[in-house]
Amino acid sequence: MQSESTRAAGDILAYRYSVYDLLRRIFLWEVPLEFFAELVKASQAELAGETCSSSAEGPLKNYLNGLPPDDLSEIHREIHIEYTRLFIGPKHLPAPPYESVYRSPGRLMMQDETINVRSLYAKHGFRVTRMNREPDDTVGIELEFMCALSKASLDALQEGDTRRVVEFVSAQREFCELHLSKWMPEFCGDIIGNSTHPFWKSVAEFTQRFLEEDAAEMNAVLEQLGRSCKDGDPNPKLSVGCCS
Amino acid sequence: MSDQNSKYGFSRRSFLQGSATLCAVSVSGLRLFGLTEDERWVDTGATVDITSPRTLGYNVCPRNCHDTCSLISEKVNGRLVRVVGDPTNPITAGTPCVKGHTHLNVLYHPDRLLYPMKRAGRKGEGKWERISWDEAYDTITTRYKDIIAKDGSEAIMPYTFSGTFGQIHEWGVPWRFFNKIGATAIEREVCLWAGLEALSYTYGDPFGCEPEDYAKAKCFVAWGSNEAYTNVHAVKFINQARDNGAKLIVVNPHRHPLASQADLFIQLRPGTDAAFALGVAKVLIDEKLYDKDFVDNYSIGFDKLQEKVKEYPLPKVAKITGVPEDQIREFAHMYSKNNATMMRIGYGLQRRKNGGTMIRAISLLPALIGSLGVEGGGYAYANLNHWPMDMNYMTRPDLLGDRKVRSINMSQLSRAIANKLPTTQERPIKALFVFSGNPIPSGTNVNMIREGLQRDDLFTVVFDQFVTDTADYADILLPAAHFFEVEEVNADYLGAYVRYNKPVLEPMGESKSNLQVFNELAQRMGYTEPCFKESVADVIKGALNSKNPAFKDITYESLQEKHWFHVNQGNHWAGRKFGTSSGKVEFYSAAAAKKGFDPVAEYVPDIESMEASPALYAKYPIHLVTPASPQLLSSQWHNVPYIKENLGEPTIRRLNLQHELSPSRQGVGEKSIWRGDMGIQKAFYFNQNRCIGCHACQTACMVFNKLDVGMNWRKVEEFETNVSSRQVDRYLSVACHHCKEPQCVKACPKGAYTKRMKDGLVVQDQSKCIGCGKCVVACPYKAPQMNASRKKVEKCNGCYTLVDQGKDPECVRGCPVQVMKMGDLAKLDAGGADKTAVGFTVFKTEPSIRFVPPRG
């Protein structure tokens, strides 16, 4: 029998997975046009002309909602060029997308933090595709790692393997505590402070708020699953949250 | 819960979950982009092995510099963690310069160009898009083919020179590509060519002494050179000579650090060096101070010189140069006292309209005093005769075939691209390929270069490690690999070393070496010559000129094994045979006459000078010179925070031509004081007489101790002072003085400070620091500093971890001039070390710092 709380845990895992998947795509992919069009379509379908009052998602959704769906190419081009200016160059980067730049005294790539991130990836069976050529602690890759572990936790949940769900979410919590939380607030702040583009400002606000929330959600999930385990069933069946 | 707003403001009924394509919750596997999942892990739970052992690499700093340091890099887990100088190389002697301390800060700079890009707005607007190498190559080759078909191959022009040197990637393979195209040739003759030509008129070739020879000199003249800024590893050889009693003479309008230390400083008006040299020659001849034996046996045209110097009576020379007559005589006396006198001739003075004529006049002096062929005597300008590569193999001029292409001097780039040269008015440059160079800050007429680069019909490619002022106007930007990532052979141009740079890293991002880019471009242009498929190793093996006996030991294999070679060619003037047509030193040069120059020498006033344009001079009497900086190499290094911190604001300094002579100086035997043994109280021992204020000690400290930007455990301070009524600069390098009565230890409420029993170093335990700042107030030297972002105090700990291993602190190791040591305080005091120096105050805390006594 499923309790309210276990159903909620499933929903949370599914939600987190989808958000990390979205964020890693945004930061890794330079937001291709088709993907951007999908985002706009989805947002407009959901809001159906209304205004989103959520303080965390509102700016992003309302921005997307206000765009002309059939004529996105010029808007998308501006977003793309702003991405380049913020994260690729060639001029001085307003928001360098590497953890070690924010955490090392000399503000450099490939520092101790990078190698610590690499070790954590390795502990869970991952390595960066372009080892030693692109920093392991690039924002999109760190978010992809979170996304991959989210997927793994969902898979484990579907298989009813609570022990592994706990293992994956704990690993994510550790990664957030040791890494993401240590630099993402400042990184997002740099985007907000240095970009006048509504898309990137709202993405940064959204990311900042989401990571804050997610830290609490991970604790909640671990607490719930811990309680379920204590209830006597070593492997309680949990429901998988679906897209509703 | 899923329909409620969370406390963080999320609706949770998100559009993120509303779209089937966006929602990643699906049965299919997750597609990864930046990460790779290891199959073994999936199957067995084994983790990925990412550790690799610590390895040392042997590298060469290729940043266009006399010193061209041999470096040792330390690599752990795929990245470099430390770079030091090769201690076995006599020039580098264990440490690079202040800039070299920050090589890793450049290598891993977050602003490095990592991907090809194309312009996405107007030229100079600053809008860019990342593109693939395929797109970059296609864009370039399509455009080049089009230009060649419509405008001819000479509408394409390369521009380079020279942030980075290298036999293969800079002097070599790029020219294969441009020769094959038949592009407009660029004359890269802005640096030192006027002087090379002038010296050849006198001596048959321009080559001379090596830096190691300086140590044997009895008198050293730095004429127009600034070793403290641009040739810092030579300073220790000059100092070795001075330790043995050699005089130091500096001729320069700029009061640079060695000028402040000099026994005689000739501060002449810019551009008047030829007049000064001819005035000195007149004194040497009139007072019979010249070497008659040398002149009689090894020179021609002395009678013509005797006639010529009559045109330069001392009152006239003094008026032109601003140097008093007695100083001209003083120079002639000091210079000719001994023929083991070394003259270093710099490049800056000849980079002007009459530069070559100035060097020709100066070049007569070493011959007049017979210093050539004498140990410790002669001159040094540039040495290129140890370059071991066959340039024909490397650059393949045969690929040009019978085509005659125009050539344009790099100093004419502005006019060339702004269509203001006759040849480019007729046939404009349509494509510019810029690599290892940045003409906007380094070329002539910046505004006109900008005007040219803004032309819509000019297609500009810039290939570099960082965006440059020039790159702002590029159509395509290509990312260049860093020297740690590229195989290369380097040869310096003052010593006689050939050095091999073994790549220790894969290029970051998608950056590429010059060889790779030009080979790939050539292949996409459809060029099928096998040379465009050669690897760096192929080029080195093919181009090494091992038939020349001087290079017989240098092979690809021996370079890999030994890392560097000294090409020993003995004393350049042994036997006193010269390469001129007469076989002698030519005070009268028919070759110079043939080119339209005065066959002896002459002073040609600058167009804007007092003599040439009195009216103009009266209106604009200020002559600006722009000296180099020890922390920068032209426009490089400006973006490194540790460097930027030491640069300060641009300053203008007025040269007051006061010309007071410093008194004669007696060398104080600092060697006798220096014993360097271990003791109870360690102390820094600083030689203010020799410090050049380059900040290398401070920068080495920051890099080694990983200091936050803004924190300076060591600081270099600059003072203007008077020594015997002559205005000079002095520098003071200070850190924590590890006092006998350390106030920080007393003031700290948490016991974070400890004075170590075994060596007296005062070290701080950061974990105990609560950031109360009491120590900051208590220390009269302000050694403890508040780190505002960490809310803790920090200070120099004497690099006690190194000291415990019997090594020097990093500031001591990192000084290329070797002016600082750490030793036993009691022994220093017993040896007569000074307790104070210019700019230093002795407080009651009894600081453990001692100074080499002032000389004189």
Side-chain angles (χ1 to χ4, degrees):
Chain A
M1 197 186 98
Q2 290 176 359
S3 68
E4 271 304 301
S5 65
T6 52
R7 190 177 299 117
D11 284 349
I12 291 170
L13 291 188
Y15 172 73
R16 308 176 56 235
Y17 174 30
S18 64
V19 177
Y20 278 118
D21 189 35
L22 173 82
L23 292 180
R24 62 138 185 168
R25 284 161 194 256
I26 287 179
F27 283 107
L28 269 180
W29 273 11
E30 302 183 37
V31 200
L33 178 59
E34 312 74 56
F35 176 64
F36 181 65
E38 286 280 357
L39 262 183
V40 174
K41 209 167 88 188
S43 176
Q44 295 184 346
E46 184 205 325
L47 288 181
E50 309 229 331
T51 304
C52 174
S53 59
S54 151
S55 58
E57 299 164 355
L60 180 57
K61 284 186 180 175
N62 292 330
Y63 165 72
L64 295 173
N65 204 30
L67 297 177
D70 302 328
D71 187 22
L72 289 172
S73 65
E74 195 46 42
I75 292 159
H76 171 263
R77 187 178 148 79
E78 289 303 320
I79 288 173
H80 180 62
I81 286 170
E82 182 65 355
Y83 176 95
T84 310
R85 187 185 76 84
L86 287 168
F87 311 124
I88 298 183
K91 304 293 261 188
H92 177 64
L93 295 180
Y98 315 107
E99 177 180 338
S100 68
V101 175
Y102 283 87
R103 298 188 64 193
S104 68
R107 291 188 68 82
L108 300 174
M109 302 186 285
M110 301 298 285
Q111 300 302 295
D112 292 348
E113 295 78 11
T114 318
I115 302 304
N116 293 341
V117 165
R118 181 179 295 177
S119 305
L120 271 174
Y121 292 167
K123 195 169 146 192
H124 296 280
F126 294 98
R127 62 188 151 81
V128 291
T129 308
R130 289 166 58 78
M131 178 86 88
N132 294 328
R133 300 195 66 174
E134 274 166 13
D136 311 59
D137 56 356
T138 305
V139 58
I141 299 179
E142 289 200 355
L143 291 167
E144 179 159 297
F145 178 64
M146 289 298 284
C147 172
L149 289 189
S150 297
K151 174 74 162 69
S153 70
L154 259 184
D155 288 348
L157 194 69
Q158 273 171 331
E159 288 158 17
D161 190 343
T162 312
R163 188 188 55 79
R164 299 204 75 194
V165 176
V166 171
E167 186 186 313
F168 290 129
V169 177
S170 302
Q172 286 184 304
R173 185 166 70 176
E174 184 192 11
F175 187 71
C176 277
E177 280 171 2
L178 292 177
H179 295 286
L180 281 171
S181 69
K182 291 285 201 304
W183 74 288
M184 287 298 283
E186 201 185 333
F187 169 72
C188 292
D190 278 349
I191 300 172
I192 295 164
N194 286 289
S195 182
T196 52
H197 199 287
F199 178 76
W200 288 108
K201 268 177 117 72
S202 54
V203 162
E205 281 163 11
F206 176 83
T207 306
Q208 219 172 22
R209 297 290 280 274
F210 169 73
L211 289 175
E212 273 174 47
E213 183 197 55
D214 193 48
E217 297 288 50
M218 283 188 287
N219 285 335
V221 168
L222 289 171
E223 199 184 311
Q224 281 173 33
L225 295 180
R227 208 182 301 128
S228 303
C229 289
K230 271 190 214 135
D231 286 345
D233 184 354
N235 241 347
K237 295 277 181 226
L238 301 173
S239 68
V240 179
C242 59
C243 309
S244 53
Chain B
M1 185 173 165
S2 60
D3 282 337
Q4 291 163 3
N5 277 2
S6 76
K7 68 173 174 168
Y8 295 90
F10 286 86
S11 69
R12 306 288 312 286
R13 204 173 62 91
S14 170
F15 72 98
L16 302 163
Q17 292 176 301
S19 154
T21 48
L22 287 172
C23 177
V25 182
S26 65
V27 285
S28 64
L30 176 66
R31 209 179 132 214
L32 297 169
F33 306 110
L35 287 168
T36 303
E37 198 168 357
D38 203 297
E39 298 262 328
R40 288 176 304 147
W41 173 68
V42 177
D43 298 339
T44 67
T47 57
V48 183
D49 179 21
I50 48 110
T51 56
S52 60
R54 171 181 176 273
T55 52
L56 296 182
Y58 290 84
N59 303 95
V60 187
C61 175
R63 306 289 182 236
N64 188 345
C65 168
H66 297 105
D67 302 2
T68 313
C69 281
S70 289
L71 304 172
I72 299 179
S73 57
E74 182 181 344
K75 182 175 166 183
V76 180
N77 288 335
R79 71 187 173 118
L80 294 192
V81 295
R82 186 158 156 77
V83 174
V84 295
D86 183 342
T88 67
N89 183 273
I91 303 281
T92 307
T95 185
C97 68
V98 54
K99 301 176 279 292
H101 286 316
T102 65
H103 279 316
L104 295 186
N105 301 60
V106 174
L107 174 70
Y108 292 133
H109 199 298
D111 293 345
R112 237 187 98 173
L113 292 180
L114 297 178
Y115 309 99
M117 307 187 88
K118 71 175 177 193
R119 180 164 58 83
R122 293 188 315 278
K123 288 200 176 190
E125 190 183 352
K127 289 187 174 177
W128 297 89
E129 273 178 84
R130 176 178 162 180
I131 54 173
S132 66
W133 272 100
D134 274 338
E135 185 180 343
Y137 284 146
D138 286 346
T139 309
I140 296 168
T141 52
T142 304
R143 195 72 183 257
Y144 278 14
K145 284 176 188 167
D146 189 48
I147 288 170
I148 292 168
K150 284 192 193 132
D151 305 283
S153 64
E154 285 171 289
I156 299 171
M157 178 178 171
Y159 180 95
T160 158
F161 211 74
S162 169
T164 295
F165 264 7
Q167 297 281 305
I168 309 302
H169 296 276
E170 201 255 347
W171 291 97
V173 293
W175 308 105
R176 294 175 169 181
F177 178 70
F178 293 111
N179 280 332
K180 176 68 189 174
I181 280 188
T184 287
I186 175 172
E187 294 163 18
R188 308 193 305 165
E189 298 182 353
V190 74
C191 179
L192 44 67
W193 262 257
L196 293 178
E197 176 129 358
L199 285 160
S200 300
Y201 291 147
T202 313
Y203 297 108
D205 72 58
F207 309 127
C209 295
E210 299 169 29
E212 290 96 320
D213 298 329
Y214 303 171
K216 300 166 197 154
K218 297 271 169 32
C219 175
F220 187 90
V221 184
W223 193 318
S225 58
N226 184 352
E227 289 79 0
Y229 287 6
T230 63
N231 183 199
V232 70
H233 292 83
V235 175
K236 62 177 170 289
F237 299 117
I238 299 171
N239 286 344
Q240 282 164 23
R242 294 167 75 200
D243 286 346
N244 292 321
K247 299 286 185 197
L248 173 64
I249 308 178
V250 168
V251 185
N252 209 311
H254 173 220
R255 191 177 78 213
H256 57 57
L258 285 188
S260 279
Q261 298 177 16
D263 296 281
L264 179 62
F265 174 33
I266 304 292
Q267 197 171 26
L268 39 53
R269 287 203 178 90
T272 63
D273 301 57
F276 181 76
L278 288 163
V280 170
K282 184 165 185 351
V283 177
L284 294 176
I285 293 169
D286 288 355
E287 299 187 21
K288 304 218 176 338
L289 298 168
Y290 67 94
D291 183 334
K292 189 163 185 317
D293 174 64
F294 184 91
V295 168
D296 288 349
N297 294 302
Y298 305 104
S299 78
I300 60 162
F302 181 69
D303 52 331
K304 300 280 197 324
L305 176 61
Q306 272 179 313
E307 282 304 307
K308 177 56 73 180
V309 298
K310 285 178 187 159
E311 297 169 25
Y312 294 88
L314 292 206
K316 179 181 168 186
V317 172
K319 186 159 180 264
I320 293 169
T321 60
V323 181
E325 289 176 47
D326 58 352
Q327 265 196 27
I328 303 169
R329 278 189 214 96
E330 172 76 8
F331 180 97
H333 294 169
M334 205 182 269
Y335 181 64
S336 61
K337 192 173 175 194
N338 197 303
N339 61 3
T341 289
M342 178 74 66
M343 184 190 285
R344 170 76 202 288
I345 307 168
Y347 308 152
L349 72 156
Q350 49 96 58
R351 289 176 192 157
R352 57 197 304 129
K353 202 171 170 69
N354 305 316
T357 61
M358 283 159 51
I359 301 292
R360 164 71 177 166
I362 296 165
S363 76
L364 307 180
L365 301 180
L368 269 181
I369 64 159
S371 64
L372 305 139
V374 174
E375 191 180 68
Y379 68 82
Y381 180 71
N383 293 323
L384 307 167
N385 47 348
H386 60 287
W387 288 22
M389 297 299 196
D390 174 353
M391 291 307 279
N392 283 337
Y393 185 94
M394 290 207 298
T395 65
R396 297 292 303 273
D398 58 295
L399 293 173
L400 194 55
D402 297 332
R403 293 173 292 176
K404 291 269 177 286
V405 293
R406 66 179 170 189
S407 86
I408 294 176
N409 191 291
M410 63 185 295
S411 65
Q412 301 277 10
L413 178 77
S414 50
R415 288 185 216 171
I417 57 175
N419 296 339
K420 287 183 170 127
L421 285 180
T423 175
T424 58
Q425 267 165 2
E426 200 181 305
R427 290 176 298 138
I429 302 291
K430 290 289 181 70
L432 188 68
F433 195 110
V434 181
F435 65 101
S436 295
N438 181 12
I440 284 190
S442 61
T444 51
N445 201 339
V446 172
N447 290 335
M448 199 188 285
I449 295 177
R450 238 183 259 275
E451 182 192 325
L453 288 172
Q454 277 169 326
R455 270 173 47 205
D456 277 332
D457 63 336
L458 179 70
F459 175 68
T460 303
V461 178
V462 173
F463 179 25
D464 213 316
Q465 284 170 8
F466 291 95
V467 73
T468 60
D469 294 336
T470 309
D472 285 348
Y473 299 93
D475 296 274
I476 299 283
L477 265 180
L478 303 176
H482 189 278
F483 70 83
F484 287 119
E485 304 159 344
V486 174
E487 184 173 19
E488 181 61 287
V489 173
N490 296 83
D492 59 72
Y493 47 93
L494 195 69
Y497 288 85
V498 176
R499 307 169 200 245
Y500 173 69
N501 183 68
K502 193 178 172 67
V504 287
L505 297 170
E506 292 276 301
M508 278 287 279
E510 293 180 2
S511 61
K512 293 185 180 193
S513 74
N514 290 10
L515 174 130
Q516 190 179 358
V517 166
F518 286 110
N519 275 0
E520 287 170 357
L521 272 176
Q523 285 166 29
R524 282 165 187 257
M525 288 293 287
Y527 303 154
T528 53
E529 283 79 359
C531 72
F532 294 120
K533 294 207 166 94
E534 283 190 342
S535 66
V536 179
D538 294 335
V539 181
I540 297 174
K541 286 175 187 166
L544 269 173
N545 199 351
S546 47
K547 280 180 205 137
N548 182 332
F551 308 130
K552 65 177 182 352
D553 295 333
I554 305 177
T555 63
Y556 183 62
E557 291 71 27
S558 68
L559 280 169
Q560 289 195 311
E561 188 193 331
K562 294 193 185 300
H563 320 305
W564 52 265
F565 280 89
H566 178 251
V567 182
N568 190 354
Q569 301 181 91
N571 188 310
H572 188 61
W573 304 288
R576 294 182 164 179
K577 287 194 173 57
F578 300 90
T580 51
S581 57
S582 64
K584 295 185 171 186
V585 174
E586 298 195 350
F587 291 123
Y588 179 93
S589 167
K594 210 170 152 189
K595 287 271 182 80
F597 299 112
D598 187 300
V600 180
E602 64 177 331
Y603 163 60
V604 184
D606 278 345
I607 296 168
E608 316 84 353
S609 67
M610 184 167 61
E611 300 85 45
S613 317
L616 201 61
Y617 182 79
K619 198 171 172 191
Y620 300 107
I622 297 174
H623 194 136
L624 297 171
V625 289
T626 51
S629 158
Q631 284 100 8
L632 299 175
L633 196 155
S634 294
S635 60
Q636 297 187 78
W637 269 285
H638 69 278
N639 59 351
V640 175
Y642 283 171
I643 292 288
K644 225 172 4 187
E645 202 173 325
N646 292 335
L647 270 181
E649 295 297 311
T651 50
I652 294 177
R653 177 184 257 186
R654 186 169 167 270
L655 305 180
N656 26 4
L657 302 164
Q658 49 175 349
H659 303 301
E660 272 84 6
L661 272 175
S662 62
S664 65
R665 292 170 170 193
Q666 300 298 318
V668 173
E670 60 245 35
K671 277 181 180 168
S672 64
I673 298 172
W674 179 251
R675 294 191 188 87
D677 298 335
M678 296 288 281
I680 302 292
Q681 174 67 55
K682 292 272 185 193
F684 285 112
Y685 184 48
F686 177 65
N687 190 344
Q688 193 176 49
N689 310 314
R690 298 284 164 78
C691 176
I692 58 170
C694 71
H695 294 256
C697 49
Q698 181 181 345
T699 307
C701 167
M702 291 161 85
V703 170
F704 180 76
N705 291 305
K706 294 187 173 10
L707 301 193
D708 285 337
V709 172
M711 291 290 104
N712 298 288
W713 290 5
R714 176 165 286 283
K715 273 186 206 156
V716 177
E717 292 162 359
E718 187 176 339
F719 302 92
E720 210 169 44
T721 183
N722 276 295
V723 173
S724 309
S725 70
R726 187 176 122 199
Q727 207 173 29
V728 298
D729 299 305
R730 288 290 181 263
Y731 307 93
L732 184 64
S733 172
V734 285
C736 170
H737 300 307
H738 305 278
C739 302
K740 270 192 179 165
E741 300 289 337
Q743 298 304 301
C744 52
V745 177
K746 284 185 193 163
C748 180
K750 293 287 170 188
Y753 289 99
T754 313
K755 186 158 177 70
R756 306 207 315 171
M757 289 297 286
K758 65 174 176 180
D759 51 21
L761 294 178
V762 178
V763 300
Q764 186 219 30
D765 181 347
Q766 275 268 298
S767 67
K768 288 184 182 166
C769 176
I770 54 168
C772 69
K774 286 187 176 154
C775 54
V776 178
V777 179
C779 173
Y781 292 106
K782 301 280 168 266
Q785 293 164 30
M786 181 65 78
N787 185 325
S789 61
R790 292 175 197 265
K791 297 188 177 60
K792 286 192 186 245
V793 173
E794 54 188 66
K795 73 161 195 75
C796 159
N797 55 28
C799 290
Y800 68 91
T801 54
L802 294 175
V803 172
D804 285 348
Q805 298 168 45
K807 293 178 183 166
D808 283 330
E810 192 63 6
C811 51
V812 172
R813 189 201 62 79
C815 173
V817 190
Q818 305 172 346
V819 298
M820 199 155 44
K821 290 168 183 178
M822 182 180 261
D824 178 344
L825 183 68
K827 287 185 179 172
L828 291 169
D829 281 340
D834 269 10
K835 290 196 172 167
T836 191
V838 175
F840 188 72
T841 312
V842 183
F843 291 106
K844 283 180 186 163
T845 58
E846 296 192 48
S848 303
I849 180 170
R850 292 296 181 267
F851 302 92
V852 177
R855 301 169 64 81

